[in-house]
Amino acid sequence: MTEANLIGSIPESIGNMTALETLDLSRNSLTGIIPSNLFKLKHLSVLYLFKNTLYGEIPQFVESLNLTDIDLSWNKLTGPIPNDFGKLEKLSSLSLMVNQLSGEIPESIGRIPTLKDVRLFTNNLSGALPPDFGRYAALEGFQVASNNLRGKLPDYLCAGGKLVGLVAFDNNLSGELPESLGNCNSLLMISIYNNGFTGKIPVGLWTASNLSYVQISDNKFTGELPDKMSRDLSLLEISNNRFSGRIPAGVSSWTNLQRFKASHNLFSGTIPRELTALPAITILWLDHNRLSGTLPSDVISWKRLTTLNLGGNQLSGEIPEEIGSLPVLNDLDLSENQFSGQIPSQLGFLKPTSLNLSSNQLIGEIPSEFGNGAYASSFLNNPGLCTRSSLVNLKICSSDSSVPQKSSKISSQNLTSILSAVIAFFLFALLCSFLMFRFFFKRKHGLNTRLEITSFQRLNFTENDVLTKLTETNVIGCGGSGKVYRVPVNRSAEFVAVKRIGNNRKLDQKHEKQFLAEVQVLSRIRHLNIVKLLCCISNDNLKLLVYDPIVDALDEEIKEACYLDEMSRVFKLGILCTSTLPANRPSMKSVLEILVNPRVISPDKSADAIPLLANSR
């Protein structure tokens, strides 16, 4: 009776069903306590009560000795695990996770000879783990995470050679890992982070043939990483430990590695060139170690890399310009190193959501793409850096102007005065011309304050490419909030769609809210069937939304010839509905009548639509 929308409590009379073998009341809305006589049913072998709202203690007296599967997870059960569970010599699966159980795990449970799967995570269990887990039964799954357990892991966890998953994170466990894990080729996943484990990782654990996920961060492990790892390894998280030595050159064989997090360790030496040859890597954290030398430039294999954090090391030299060619990198942290030279202009192509180059020895002007508030704190503690934007916490770059020198060959003071006056007049005239040009240009395009461009994708055009093309010949539509232009932006005949909100006057509150809402929604949406917002260009009087135009808006399945008349009818009706004069637009009632039966003549003003649609079926 799983997922039967049952409510209320489990009746005590269920204990009278003496022949009952399987009871599945999972995924309902049952409340109350578990009847005490439920565990007295002699023939009961399967008990599923998971994902309800049961509370109270589990009955402590158990006489259902034929039980093989118990799942009471995802309830609100409290109290201890019954000692009598240790008498269930046929039990193979015990699932009590996500409750509020407390006390110690009965040692007798660890001696059940048929036990394969133990799931006790997310409770309030305390004390030490029973030492006999895995000694008398070939465990396959052992999950005790998110409790208050202490002491060591049982020595015999993988004695049967079938352990697939070991999950014990968020406890107070300590000591070294059992040697049995060093000879556990069945192991697929080990997740024991946030404990107090010490010592070295058993050598055989790294090379377990099926090992894919290693999460051992936030412990006190020591030792070095081996040259050889499991070929199936896709996730390696070892941050906040005491691993040391060099990152091995054998890292190039970790070809399936996707996430490598090794922050806050004691790794030293240089970053090996072999590390740049990992084609599947998406996240690389090596921050706060003791790495030195230069950052290899052969990073073009990192096509899938989204996050690179090398902060808090002793890396030096220039930042490789090749980093700017990584297509999906959006989080870059090279702070607290000794990088020098200029910031490569190619980094401006990235448009990362997070950038930190602080506390280095960088010099020169930052790329113009970073001259906005999003990167205000990205370049702190680099005395040699400057910017042309007041939105970044750096000094303003000085203009490259030459200072005229006095000529010793000029003997006439009058000639010098005349020359100075001519130059001053020329500069004054040039300045006036520039100001007049800017005044009329801004007046024409509604740019009464400085424009700001905020990009959400990588752009191959500038705001000037857009502004100069906002002419009436490029208008493709208009409405109550403004006009839409089809604008060519480069020599490759690429076009963008530009929605202009407002006119030469300051925007009213309605248009301002419309603009902000559209930017907030479309900048976060990534979907193939939703138009992509490339950037927005704005000031007090003008708001432009630049979209990637949808080239083909028709579904493939309606492009057959049999739909031609129907498409023609809808298209023509659309023309009528967007007539300039509201009086010429058909009512919604007429639109529906025309769509259902185009030959129906409506009595209102939309009757003019009937001749236009007379050929429709």
Side-chain angles (χ1 to χ4, degrees), residues 512-531:
E512 183 76 22
K513 288 184 178 180
Q514 176 188 344
F515 173 79
L516 294 176
E518 195 162 352
V519 170
Q520 184 177 12
V521 173
L522 291 180
S523 64
R524 296 179 178 177
I525 294 179
R526 299 289 187 273
H527 196 282
L528 293 176
N529 294 330
I530 297 179
V531 65

Side-chain angles (χ1 to χ4, degrees), residues 417-593:
S417 301
I418 294 174
L419 183 60
S420 299
V422 170
I423 294 175
F425 178 80
F426 175 76
L427 293 176
F428 177 77
L430 187 63
L431 178 62
C432 291
S433 300
F434 172 76
L435 292 176
M436 291 178 64
F437 172 81
R438 189 172 67 170
F439 172 80
F440 286 111
F441 181 86
K442 287 183 177 181
R443 185 174 182 181
K444 178 180 179 181
H445 293 280
L447 306 177
N448 295 326
T449 57
R450 187 171 65 88
L451 284 168
E452 291 185 4
I453 180 169
T454 303
S455 60
F456 306 102
Q457 311 290 335
R458 185 175 297 178
L459 306 178
N460 59 355
F461 57 87
T462 65
E463 59 266 37
N464 190 53
D465 294 331
V466 174
L467 294 173
T468 56
K469 304 297 192 325
L470 298 183
T471 61
E472 290 300 315
T473 57
N474 288 332
V475 173
I476 58 173
C478 59
S481 60
K483 298 180 179 180
V484 180
Y485 302 80
R486 184 172 183 264
V487 174
V489 292
N490 54 41
R491 296 180 180 178
S492 302
E494 295 181 2
F495 291 83
V496 295
V498 181
K499 180 177 181 181
R500 177 173 179 169
I501 298 178
N503 48 38
N504 291 340
R505 296 171 296 178
K506 189 165 183 175
L507 268 66
D508 57 27
Q509 189 175 7
K510 176 182 177 182
H511 286 157
E512 183 76 22
K513 288 184 178 180
Q514 176 188 344
F515 173 79
L516 294 176
E518 195 162 352
V519 170
Q520 184 177 12
V521 173
L522 291 180
S523 64
R524 296 179 178 177
I525 294 179
R526 299 289 187 273
H527 196 282
L528 293 176
N529 294 330
I530 297 179
V531 65
K532 183 186 295 183
L533 180 62
L534 300 178
C535 68
C536 63
I537 303 172
S538 62
N539 64 12
D540 291 340
N541 299 341
L542 182 65
K543 308 293 182 184
L544 300 178
L545 298 174
V546 183
Y547 299 91
D548 191 3
I550 298 178
V551 177
D552 191 350
L554 291 179
D555 292 336
E556 292 293 333
E557 60 186 34
I558 67 168
K559 290 184 178 180
E560 302 293 336
C562 60
Y563 295 106
L564 182 59
D565 288 343
E566 186 175 351
M567 286 190 291
S568 176
R569 183 203 319 170
V570 174
F571 178 73
K572 293 175 181 178
L573 183 57
I575 294 175
L576 285 174
C577 291
T578 56
S579 297
T580 304
L581 297 177
N584 293 337
R585 301 172 188 167
S587 65
M588 284 303 299
K589 179 179 179 182
S590 299
V591 170
L592 290 174
E593 290 176 348

